[in-house]
Amino acid sequence: MSEQYDVIVIGAGPAGYPAAIRAGQNKLKVACIDGWKNYDGSYAFGGTCLNAGCIPSKALLESSELYHRAQHEFELHGIKLKGVEFDVAAMQSRKSKIVKSSTQGIAALLKGAGVNALVGHGKLLKAEGGVNKVEYTDKEGKVQVLSATHVVLASGSVPTELKSLPFDGKDIIDSWGALELSAVPKRLGVIGAGVIGLELGSVWNRLGAQVTVLEALDSFLPMADQAVSAEALKNFKKQGLDVKLGAKVSAATKGKDGVTLKYTDASGEQSLVVDKVVVAIGRRPFTTNLLAEGSGVELDERGFVKVDHECRTGMANVWAVGDLVRGPMLAHKGKEEGVVVADLIAGKHAEVNYNIIPSVIYTAPEIAWVGQTEQQVKQSGRAYKVGSFPFMASGRARAMEAAVGFCKMISAVDTDEVLGVHIIGPMAGELIGEAVLAMEYSASTEDFQRTIHAHPTLSEAVHEAALAADKIAIDFPNR
Ligand code: FAD
Ligand code: AMP
C-alpha cells in the first residue's frame, strides 16, 4: 500500500512551505515535495524567493546601496573615506550565506511542524476511488506513488524567455543569472522595466555598469500611481539608469564587440551594443511535468492553473496557490494563499483579501503601495480626496539625508474610507505596513489623523498625508 497523507504539497516556495507548515500545525499528516536545484547541484527548499528572487536580490541591493552611499553620501555626514572599493566576490559570498541559512531554516521549520520534507519531483496523477495520488521521484530517481486526501499544487513560476533572444546562460541571462554575476559588466542591457528589471538594473548601475533599460510600453510602471511612477522615473534617470520607453526589443546578435540588440521605438529601428543582457519581461506559471494525463486539473489560456477565490481547482480536494495561479506574482500573496488553504482543509474559516495586497519595489527611493491608484479611483467614478506629504518636509528624512519622494493617501469623500496609500521614499516598504493593517480594518482618513505617530519618524509622512487629505496638515502648507 502506498503511503497515505492528509495533505501533500508540491513545491516548497513561499506559497508551498507555509501551506505545509500550517497543515502540520493543524495536526494533519503532511508531506512537502520540492526539487529546486541550485547552480552548484545542491538541493534547497524555499523556491524562487529564497534561492533566486526576493532574498538574494535584497542582499545585493543592500550591498550596492551601501557602496553608493559610501561614495556619494558619507561626505555629507562629515565622514571622509579614502579609496572606497568593492569586491563582487565578497558581496556574492555574503549573499550566498544569507540564502543558505534561509533555506536551511525552511527545512528546519518544516521538520519542526512535523512535515515530511521530501527532496525530488512531484506529479499529480489521476485520482483513484476518490483518493488523490502523487508520483514522487526522489534524487536518486526512485519512483513511489503516494496517496493523499488533499493535494496543494505550489510549483511557482519561471522567467519568460523572449523567443528572439533565447537565454544562453552567459551573455543573455535571466534574473537568476543577473544575481550570480561574478564581475560588473561594462554595458548592461535590461529588457523590461518591471519590478525585477529595475531592481537588478539598480544593483549593477550602482556598482558601475552602464545600464540601459528597454521597455516596450510607452508608460513607466503603469501599475503604480502615476504621480509615483513619474517621481520614480525622474530619480532613476538622475541615478544614471538610461530608461528607454516605447522600445520593443526584437532580436540580438552576438559578436566580438558584445551583444547587439535590435529594437524599435517611435523613431524606427534602433540598435544598442551591450556586454550582457538581462531579459526581465515577466514570469510564467511552471506546470512542466506537474500534471499527469487524467489528473483533470485545468489551465487557463495563459497557462495558470484555474482556481476559484478559495484556490480550489476543479478537481476534488486539489488546490493551487502562489505564482501558479492568477493574481500578482508576489511571495506574500502566495504565503497567504498557502496558509488559508491549509486552514480551509482543516475546516477552519479563512479567506484571502485580494484587495489589500501591498506591492513594494526595493529600489532607492523605495516604492510601496496598497489599494487603488488615483487613476483607478477616478475611473470608478467615486468622489475622492487626496492628501500628499513630501519627505522633504520630514525632519527624520532630512536627518537621514533621504528627503526624496512623498506619501499620498486617497480616500472616499462619502465615507472617509482610505482607498489607497502610495509611498515613494525612504523605507517605503516598511511604512506601507501601517496602511495595510489600517485598510484591512477599513480605516478612515480620520483614523489615521487621530493616531499618534512618534516624532521624529518617517511614519509621520503617512499621518501628515492623512491630514493633508482634509487640508489640515501641520508640517506642510495645505493646498
Ligand atoms: P516558487 O518560489 O517559484 O517555488 C516553487 C517551488 O516548487 C520551487 O522550489 C520549484 O523548484 C518547486 N517545484 C516546481 N515544480 C515542482 C515539482 N513538480 N515537484 C517538486 N517541486 C517542484 N516577490 C516578493 O513578494 N517580493 C520581492 O521582493 C520579490 N523579489 C523577487 C526578485 C526576483 C529576482 C524574482 C525572480 C522574484 C521576486 N519575487 C518577489 C517574486 C517571488 O519570488 C515569487 O512570487 C514567489 O517565489 C512565488 O512563490 P511560489 O511558492 O508560488 O513559487
Ligand atoms: P513585469 O512583468 O512586471 O516583470 O515586467 C516586464 C516588462 O517587460 C513589462 O513592462 C513589459 O512591457 C516588458 N517587455 C515585454 N516584452 C518586451 C520586449 N520585447 N522589449 C522590451 N520590453 C518588453
Side-chain angles (χ1 to χ4, degrees):
M1 232 194 57
S2 71
E3 197 159 358
Q4 170 75 40
Y5 289 93
D6 296 318
V7 184
I8 294 178
V9 182
I10 302 180
Y17 84 75
I21 289 175
R22 177 55 60 87
Q25 289 167 345
N26 286 336
K27 307 274 180 277
L28 298 169
K29 185 175 176 196
V30 191
C32 182
I33 307 172
D34 194 290
W36 181 279
K37 209 172 177 181
N38 280 311
Y39 282 133
D40 64 2
S42 63
Y43 288 88
F45 291 108
T48 305
C49 175
L50 271 73
N51 290 289
C54 322
I55 301 306
S57 60
K58 266 79 255 179
L60 290 184
L61 278 159
E62 195 66 30
S63 300
S64 58
E65 174 67 4
L66 281 179
Y67 171 67
H68 180 85
R69 291 177 65 189
Q71 270 189 317
H72 301 282
E73 202 183 298
F74 279 26
E75 196 149 6
L76 297 168
H77 291 269
I79 303 168
K80 294 201 170 148
L81 296 176
K82 278 204 188 97
V84 181
E85 286 176 21
F86 65 87
D87 174 348
V88 178
M91 282 183 185
Q92 292 290 22
S93 131
R94 187 190 86 97
K95 179 207 76 184
S96 302
K97 273 192 209 137
I98 293 162
V99 167
K100 197 160 183 194
S101 65
S102 308
T103 57
Q104 285 171 343
I106 302 299
L109 289 172
L110 288 168
K111 196 165 168 227
V115 175
N116 192 8
L118 301 172
V119 176
H121 187 267
K123 183 178 191 172
L124 181 72
L125 304 176
K126 188 175 174 189
E128 281 173 24
V131 178
N132 281 308
K133 299 278 174 188
V134 170
E135 179 189 272
Y136 165 52
T137 309
D138 73 13
K139 286 189 286 186
E140 279 74 43
K142 195 176 134 218
V143 181
Q144 291 173 62
V145 175
L146 311 174
S147 302
T149 311
H150 295 267
V151 174
V152 182
L153 305 171
S155 55
S157 64
V158 287
T160 306
E161 196 168 51
L162 247 181
K163 278 206 182 76
S164 48
L165 268 82
F167 297 124
D168 65 9
K170 191 173 161 275
D171 301 314
I172 303 174
I173 54 180
D174 62 12
S175 53
W176 194 7
L179 288 167
E180 299 292 329
L181 291 176
S182 54
V184 182
K186 200 162 167 280
R187 300 159 300 178
L188 180 69
V190 177
I191 306 180
V195 177
I196 293 174
L198 290 171
E199 289 187 3
L200 294 172
S202 294
V203 166
W204 297 108
N205 176 52
R206 290 167 189 168
L207 297 179
Q210 191 186 317
V211 178
T212 309
V213 184
L214 300 166
E215 167 56 54
L217 299 176
D218 291 323
S219 53
F220 183 65
L221 288 179
M223 64 290 199
D225 188 275
Q226 274 174 22
V228 170
S229 341
E231 177 74 12
L233 186 58
K234 189 179 83 190
N235 276 280
F236 296 156
K237 286 195 164 167
K238 212 154 86 187
Q239 289 161 18
L241 273 185
D242 184 6
V243 181
K244 294 189 192 300
L245 297 175
K248 192 166 172 20
V249 179
S250 54
T253 38
K254 291 206 260 176
K256 269 207 310 272
D257 265 7
V259 185
T260 305
L261 293 171
K262 287 249 172 314
Y263 66 95
T264 31
D265 64 11
S267 334
E269 283 261 309
Q270 312 284 350
S271 67
L272 173 77
V273 185
V274 291
D275 300 299
K276 285 202 189 289
V277 188
V278 182
V279 179
I281 59 162
R283 298 176 63 81
R284 62 176 174 83
F286 184 60
T287 50
T288 308
N289 203 18
L290 174 72
L291 306 167
E293 221 176 294
S295 75
V297 170
E298 281 184 54
L299 307 184
D300 70 13
E301 61 290 347
R302 293 163 63 212
F304 290 93
V305 167
K306 268 194 200 171
V307 285
D308 68 8
H309 67 288
E310 288 185 322
C311 298
R312 293 174 203 270
T313 68
M315 300 308 290
N317 297 337
V318 179
W319 313 70
V321 294
D323 282 9
L324 186 62
V325 303
R326 80 299 172 252
M329 285 186 164
L330 293 170
H332 42 284
K333 173 263 192 186
K335 180 179 187 181
E336 188 61 12
E337 288 179 333
V339 165
V340 162
V341 161
D343 279 345
L344 289 172
I345 287 172
K348 298 181 179 172
H349 171 79
E351 64 181 308
V352 178
N353 184 354
Y354 286 100
N355 293 322
I356 305 193
I357 299 176
S359 295
V360 183
I361 309 179
Y362 298 82
T363 44
E366 253 177 39
I367 299 168
W369 71 90
V370 59
Q372 300 176 64
T373 62
E374 184 172 352
Q375 295 69 47
Q376 287 168 333
V377 179
K378 193 181 253 174
Q379 209 173 17
S380 75
R382 195 162 181 192
Y384 66 94
K385 52 188 177 180
V386 176
S388 195
F389 183 79
F391 283 102
M392 185 247 298
S394 151
R396 184 68 195 277
R398 288 204 309 276
M400 289 168 68
E401 202 61 53
V404 172
F406 55 84
C407 173
K408 172 173 173 179
M409 187 175 285
I410 304 154
S411 314
V413 167
D414 51 358
T415 59
D416 198 36
E417 186 182 355
V418 176
L419 304 173
V421 176
H422 304 268
I423 308 175
I424 175 164
M427 311 295 276
E430 304 299 326
L431 292 176
I432 204 67
E434 167 185 356
V436 178
L437 182 66
M439 287 173 67
E440 190 65 38
Y441 285 90
S442 308
S444 64
T445 320
E446 189 181 354
D447 290 326
F448 278 91
Q449 292 169 350
R450 295 197 181 277
T451 300
I452 298 175
H453 290 70
H455 175 76
T457 60
L458 297 170
S459 73
E460 287 171 293
V462 182
H463 187 213
E464 287 284 333
L467 293 167
D470 287 324
K471 303 204 180 337
I472 50 170
I474 301 294
D475 290 335
F476 194 66
N478 292 288
R479 294 201 185 102

